PDB file of all heavy atoms in Angstrom:
ATOM      1  N   LEU A 144      12.432 -27.900 -16.679  1.00  0.00           N
ATOM      2  CA  LEU A 144      12.297 -29.340 -16.467  1.00  0.00           C
ATOM      3  C   LEU A 144      13.034 -30.110 -17.557  1.00  0.00           C
ATOM      4  O   LEU A 144      13.709 -31.112 -17.295  1.00  0.00           O
ATOM      5  CB  LEU A 144      10.817 -29.742 -16.460  1.00  0.00           C
ATOM      6  CG  LEU A 144      10.024 -29.282 -15.239  1.00  0.00           C
ATOM      7  CD1 LEU A 144       8.554 -29.619 -15.413  1.00  0.00           C
ATOM      8  CD2 LEU A 144      10.561 -29.924 -13.970  1.00  0.00           C
ATOM      9  N   LEU A 145      12.927 -29.610 -18.797  1.00  0.00           N
ATOM     10  CA  LEU A 145      13.590 -30.291 -19.907  1.00  0.00           C
ATOM     11  C   LEU A 145      15.102 -30.172 -19.823  1.00  0.00           C
ATOM     12  O   LEU A 145      15.824 -31.047 -20.276  1.00  0.00           O
ATOM     13  CB  LEU A 145      13.124 -29.695 -21.236  1.00  0.00           C
ATOM     14  CG  LEU A 145      11.742 -30.100 -21.701  1.00  0.00           C
ATOM     15  CD1 LEU A 145      11.310 -29.253 -22.875  1.00  0.00           C
ATOM     16  CD2 LEU A 145      11.726 -31.576 -22.074  1.00  0.00           C
ATOM     17  N   MET A 146      15.571 -29.068 -19.258  1.00  0.00           N
ATOM     18  CA  MET A 146      17.012 -28.820 -19.321  1.00  0.00           C
ATOM     19  C   MET A 146      17.682 -28.916 -17.963  1.00  0.00           C
ATOM     20  O   MET A 146      18.763 -28.381 -17.772  1.00  0.00           O
ATOM     21  CB  MET A 146      17.263 -27.460 -19.953  1.00  0.00           C
ATOM     22  CG  MET A 146      16.694 -27.420 -21.342  1.00  0.00           C
ATOM     23  SD  MET A 146      17.630 -26.391 -22.409  1.00  0.00           S
ATOM     24  CE  MET A 146      16.818 -24.874 -22.131  1.00  0.00           C
ATOM     25  N   GLU A 147      17.033 -29.607 -17.033  1.00  0.00           N
ATOM     26  CA  GLU A 147      17.676 -29.839 -15.757  1.00  0.00           C
ATOM     27  C   GLU A 147      18.741 -30.900 -15.976  1.00  0.00           C
ATOM     28  O   GLU A 147      18.544 -31.859 -16.706  1.00  0.00           O
ATOM     29  CB  GLU A 147      16.615 -30.355 -14.765  1.00  0.00           C
ATOM     30  CG  GLU A 147      17.050 -30.282 -13.336  1.00  0.00           C
ATOM     31  CD  GLU A 147      16.080 -31.004 -12.415  1.00  0.00           C
ATOM     32  OE1 GLU A 147      15.088 -31.559 -12.919  1.00  0.00           O
ATOM     33  OE2 GLU A 147      16.328 -31.014 -11.209  1.00  0.00           O
ATOM     34  N   GLY A 148      19.867 -30.709 -15.348  1.00  0.00           N
ATOM     35  CA  GLY A 148      20.910 -31.705 -15.527  1.00  0.00           C
ATOM     36  C   GLY A 148      22.263 -31.053 -15.647  1.00  0.00           C
ATOM     37  O   GLY A 148      22.395 -29.845 -15.512  1.00  0.00           O
ATOM     38  N   GLN A 149      23.269 -31.853 -15.911  1.00  0.00           N
ATOM     39  CA  GLN A 149      24.619 -31.366 -15.724  1.00  0.00           C
ATOM     40  C   GLN A 149      25.496 -31.336 -16.954  1.00  0.00           C
ATOM     41  O   GLN A 149      26.538 -30.701 -16.936  1.00  0.00           O
ATOM     42  CB  GLN A 149      25.297 -32.257 -14.682  1.00  0.00           C
ATOM     43  CG  GLN A 149      24.865 -31.917 -13.294  1.00  0.00           C
ATOM     44  CD  GLN A 149      26.049 -31.601 -12.449  1.00  0.00           C
ATOM     45  OE1 GLN A 149      26.960 -32.385 -12.382  1.00  0.00           O
ATOM     46  NE2 GLN A 149      26.058 -30.460 -11.823  1.00  0.00           N
ATOM     47  N   SER A 150      25.073 -32.012 -18.018  1.00  0.00           N
ATOM     48  CA  SER A 150      26.033 -32.196 -19.103  1.00  0.00           C
ATOM     49  C   SER A 150      26.416 -30.866 -19.745  1.00  0.00           C
ATOM     50  O   SER A 150      25.697 -29.879 -19.669  1.00  0.00           O
ATOM     51  CB  SER A 150      25.461 -33.140 -20.164  1.00  0.00           C
ATOM     52  OG  SER A 150      24.586 -32.433 -20.998  1.00  0.00           O
ATOM     53  N   ARG A 151      27.577 -30.856 -20.379  1.00  0.00           N
ATOM     54  CA  ARG A 151      28.123 -29.672 -21.005  1.00  0.00           C
ATOM     55  C   ARG A 151      27.198 -29.144 -22.100  1.00  0.00           C
ATOM     56  O   ARG A 151      26.997 -27.956 -22.258  1.00  0.00           O
ATOM     57  CB  ARG A 151      29.462 -30.040 -21.634  1.00  0.00           C
ATOM     58  CG  ARG A 151      30.545 -29.082 -21.341  1.00  0.00           C
ATOM     59  CD  ARG A 151      31.879 -29.736 -21.618  1.00  0.00           C
ATOM     60  NE  ARG A 151      32.743 -29.639 -20.435  1.00  0.00           N
ATOM     61  CZ  ARG A 151      33.327 -28.521 -20.076  1.00  0.00           C
ATOM     62  NH1 ARG A 151      33.145 -27.415 -20.758  1.00  0.00           N
ATOM     63  NH2 ARG A 151      34.102 -28.481 -19.023  1.00  0.00           N
ATOM     64  N   ARG A 152      26.650 -30.105 -22.856  1.00  0.00           N
ATOM     65  CA  ARG A 152      25.795 -29.726 -23.961  1.00  0.00           C
ATOM     66  C   ARG A 152      24.574 -28.942 -23.441  1.00  0.00           C
ATOM     67  O   ARG A 152      24.152 -27.959 -24.004  1.00  0.00           O
ATOM     68  CB  ARG A 152      25.331 -30.974 -24.704  1.00  0.00           C
ATOM     69  CG  ARG A 152      25.319 -30.810 -26.198  1.00  0.00           C
ATOM     70  CD  ARG A 152      24.987 -32.120 -26.864  1.00  0.00           C
ATOM     71  NE  ARG A 152      25.706 -33.241 -26.258  1.00  0.00           N
ATOM     72  CZ  ARG A 152      25.237 -34.491 -26.230  1.00  0.00           C
ATOM     73  NH1 ARG A 152      24.058 -34.760 -26.764  1.00  0.00           N
ATOM     74  NH2 ARG A 152      25.936 -35.457 -25.689  1.00  0.00           N
ATOM     75  N   LEU A 153      24.047 -29.406 -22.308  1.00  0.00           N
ATOM     76  CA  LEU A 153      22.905 -28.730 -21.700  1.00  0.00           C
ATOM     77  C   LEU A 153      23.262 -27.303 -21.316  1.00  0.00           C
ATOM     78  O   LEU A 153      22.495 -26.376 -21.521  1.00  0.00           O
ATOM     79  CB  LEU A 153      22.478 -29.476 -20.441  1.00  0.00           C
ATOM     80  CG  LEU A 153      21.403 -30.516 -20.638  1.00  0.00           C
ATOM     81  CD1 LEU A 153      21.124 -31.207 -19.324  1.00  0.00           C
ATOM     82  CD2 LEU A 153      20.153 -29.859 -21.162  1.00  0.00           C
ATOM     83  N   GLY A 154      24.472 -27.151 -20.777  1.00  0.00           N
ATOM     84  CA  GLY A 154      24.929 -25.815 -20.395  1.00  0.00           C
ATOM     85  C   GLY A 154      24.923 -24.881 -21.588  1.00  0.00           C
ATOM     86  O   GLY A 154      24.484 -23.738 -21.498  1.00  0.00           O
ATOM     87  N   PHE A 155      25.351 -25.405 -22.736  1.00  0.00           N
ATOM     88  CA  PHE A 155      25.384 -24.586 -23.947  1.00  0.00           C
ATOM     89  C   PHE A 155      23.973 -24.190 -24.370  1.00  0.00           C
ATOM     90  O   PHE A 155      23.709 -23.016 -24.654  1.00  0.00           O
ATOM     91  CB  PHE A 155      26.079 -25.362 -25.080  1.00  0.00           C
ATOM     92  CG  PHE A 155      25.959 -24.690 -26.406  1.00  0.00           C
ATOM     93  CD1 PHE A 155      26.743 -23.582 -26.704  1.00  0.00           C
ATOM     94  CD2 PHE A 155      25.059 -25.145 -27.356  1.00  0.00           C
ATOM     95  CE1 PHE A 155      26.621 -22.947 -27.919  1.00  0.00           C
ATOM     96  CE2 PHE A 155      24.926 -24.513 -28.574  1.00  0.00           C
ATOM     97  CZ  PHE A 155      25.708 -23.417 -28.861  1.00  0.00           C
ATOM     98  N   VAL A 156      23.073 -25.172 -24.376  1.00  0.00           N
ATOM     99  CA  VAL A 156      21.700 -24.871 -24.801  1.00  0.00           C
ATOM    100  C   VAL A 156      21.071 -23.851 -23.852  1.00  0.00           C
ATOM    101  O   VAL A 156      20.389 -22.911 -24.282  1.00  0.00           O
ATOM    102  CB  VAL A 156      20.843 -26.160 -24.853  1.00  0.00           C
ATOM    103  CG1 VAL A 156      19.425 -25.835 -25.303  1.00  0.00           C
ATOM    104  CG2 VAL A 156      21.456 -27.168 -25.799  1.00  0.00           C
TER     105      VAL A 156
END
Side-chain angles (χ1 to χ4, degrees):
Chain A
L144 289 174
L145 284 169
M146 300 212 271
E147 196 189 1
Q149 282 236 307
S150 80
R151 227 162 234 285
R152 220 174 316 151
L153 267 178
F155 171 76
V156 180

